[in-house]
Amino acid sequence: MNTPRSVLFVCLGNICRSPSAEAVMTKLAHDNFLKIHFDSAGTADYHVGKAPDSRAIEVGEGLGYKLSHLRARQLTIQDFYDFDVIFAMDKNNLDDIRKIMPANATARVGAFDRTPVADPYYGNISDFDVMFEHIEQASKHWIDTWKHPQ
Ligand code: 4NP
């Protein structure tokens, strides 16, 4: 995959998985001198305007990622033209994105990882540890891919 200029992460609520992926990738890209713009959104509007889940902030900041300034927003049709890549965090997210994807969308849409990133919202803090480990592992894969474009 060519190195994208912009990547949007999408989950359901935009308060747990996608803002965490945005924060991890922003740091890893910066550390690797990759100039890529990252953002995140939710397929649902439940939490629009809210900061990430306090457990995501706590675990993420403990690992050195900045999330507390992020605010949830809902995926828009314009996103399909504004971003080079749209990554779904799980299979339901991917299905929901594809349902509203315009036929002439310019973004490439796909799964962030082969294994869906489990929704930690109804879990406990250890589920957020697992979520960050999963996101870090998948993020490293994409950073390596984009550092060595084919
Ligand atoms: P996220 O987690 O999609 O990773 O942000 C969720 C956040 C909120 C809800 C579900 C999942 N919710 O049902 O409100």
Side-chain angles (χ1 to χ4, degrees):
M1 191 197 272
N2 288 332
T3 310
R5 288 158 302 169
S6 58
V7 178
L8 181 69
F9 296 98
V10 175
C11 62
L12 177 62
N14 193 210
I15 55 167
C16 298
R17 292 164 293 173
S18 61
S20 300
E22 177 185 349
V24 170
M25 287 291 261
T26 297
K27 180 171 191 307
L28 293 188
H30 180 262
D31 290 350
N32 284 278
F33 309 103
L34 283 171
K35 278 193 81 174
I36 303 170
H37 169 68
F38 297 101
D39 193 5
S40 62
T43 56
D45 64 359
Y46 312 143
H47 300 280
V48 168
K50 288 196 203 151
D53 188 286
S54 59
R55 298 164 295 178
I57 294 175
E58 183 185 331
V59 174
E61 296 199 341
L63 294 166
Y65 305 114
K66 295 198 179 81
L67 301 82
S68 60
H69 62 291
L70 300 177
R71 294 295 177 269
R73 71 172 181 88
Q74 191 172 22
L75 179 66
T76 67
I77 295 300
Q78 188 62 40
D79 288 323
F80 290 93
Y81 304 97
D82 287 348
F83 288 87
D84 287 343
V85 171
I86 297 178
F87 273 148
M89 302 306 289
D90 72 18
K91 183 68 172 66
N92 288 333
N93 305 144
L94 188 56
D95 290 346
D96 290 340
I97 294 165
R98 288 196 168 131
K99 272 181 213 153
I100 66 157
M101 181 172 176
N104 66 349
T106 49
R108 283 171 293 169
V109 174
F112 175 52
D113 191 35
R114 276 204 198 118
T115 313
V117 179
D119 182 356
Y121 185 64
Y122 293 105
N124 54 42
I125 198 85
S126 70
D127 296 296
F128 284 80
D129 292 329
V130 170
M131 176 190 77
F132 269 99
E133 275 176 34
H134 191 164
I135 289 171
E136 283 181 321
Q137 163 252 304
S139 296
K140 283 175 186 159
H141 161 79
W142 287 115
I143 294 289
D144 276 349
T145 302
W146 294 334
K147 271 177 84 172
H148 309 285
Q150 297 305 307

